Amino acid sequence: MIPLDRKTLIQLRQQVENREKKEEAIVDKLEAFINGNVGLYVPINGEVNVFDDFKRYKNLYLPICEENTTLNFYKFTGKLYKGIFNTYEPSNKKKIDPLDLDVIIIPLVGFNKTHRIGYGKGYYDRYLKNTQAIKIGIAFDCQEDPSIRKKPNDIDMDLIITETRTIWR
């Protein structure tokens, strides 16, 4: 099998057919884990959109990628603005300690078993090593690439949810 690069995986994700139905299947599986303080994201570049289903959850925190390669999660109070990487970020600046998050939902560019790759900057990996939250990656089946290998600083997911499977570590 030929390894897929990030650009190809992102294109596959952007071209998913029956997206709404597949996202609904992912949301159905994910609902059981939405409890306590939850870290989520607002989707970009074809990432699985579960934000619209959970944005009314009262203990929701969204990531902000800060200029010094740090990721932090901030309380979502209903308002978003465009951040430095064209991501949507919460307007509230009430940061949560990584140890106070119970669950973090993480977008994937690609995955193999419970190993994930993102955009390649390591923001999530640096953050995840400092939390005990349940780490849930979400993706479409087409983003699976058996050639993806774990690197020394990579943090595996506790589980990955796709439209057809839940893969446990």
Side-chain angles (χ1 to χ4, degrees), residues 11-124:
Q11 287 173 340
L12 287 171
R13 180 178 72 189
Q14 289 172 330
Q15 297 167 358
V16 165
E17 294 181 10
N18 301 315
R19 175 177 290 272
E20 288 181 16
K21 184 177 180 182
K22 290 177 181 179
E23 287 175 337
E24 186 178 305
I26 292 168
V27 166
D28 287 347
K29 293 176 189 162
L30 190 55
E31 280 180 312
F33 297 97
I34 303 300
N35 192 22
N37 293 323
V38 177
L40 191 59
Y41 65 93
V42 180
I44 59 168
N45 296 329
E47 293 170 341
V48 176
N49 182 1
V50 297
F51 177 74
D52 289 341
D53 290 281
F54 297 116
K55 65 184 175 186
R56 288 174 187 53
Y57 183 71
K58 66 178 182 166
N59 292 322
L60 190 63
Y61 294 82
L62 300 176
I64 295 180
C65 295
E66 297 167 340
E67 294 180 37
N68 63 355
T69 69
T70 300
L71 178 79
N72 283 299
F73 281 80
Y74 293 84
K75 180 83 171 167
F76 175 61
T77 56
K79 293 189 179 182
L80 297 169
Y81 71 95
K82 200 86 153 200
I84 60 173
F85 295 111
N86 288 324
T87 57
Y88 289 97
E89 301 174 352
S91 57
N92 186 321
K93 295 302 177 195
K94 182 181 177 192
K95 180 170 46 172
I96 189 169
D97 186 290
L99 293 174
D100 290 333
L101 280 171
D102 298 297
V103 178
I104 303 176
I105 313 302
I106 301 146
L108 310 180
V109 168
F111 69 96
N112 178 16
K113 298 179 183 159
T114 57
H115 176 60
R116 68 172 276 281
I117 59 169
Y119 292 104
K121 302 289 185 193
Y123 281 90
Y124 270 99

Side-chain angles (χ1 to χ4, degrees), residues 1-4 9 111-113 143-149:
M1 173 177 223
I2 298 171
L4 301 173
L9 287 164
F111 69 96
N112 178 16
K113 298 179 183 159
Q143 294 173 252
E144 185 172 18
D145 181 357
S147 70
I148 292 173
R149 299 288 178 252

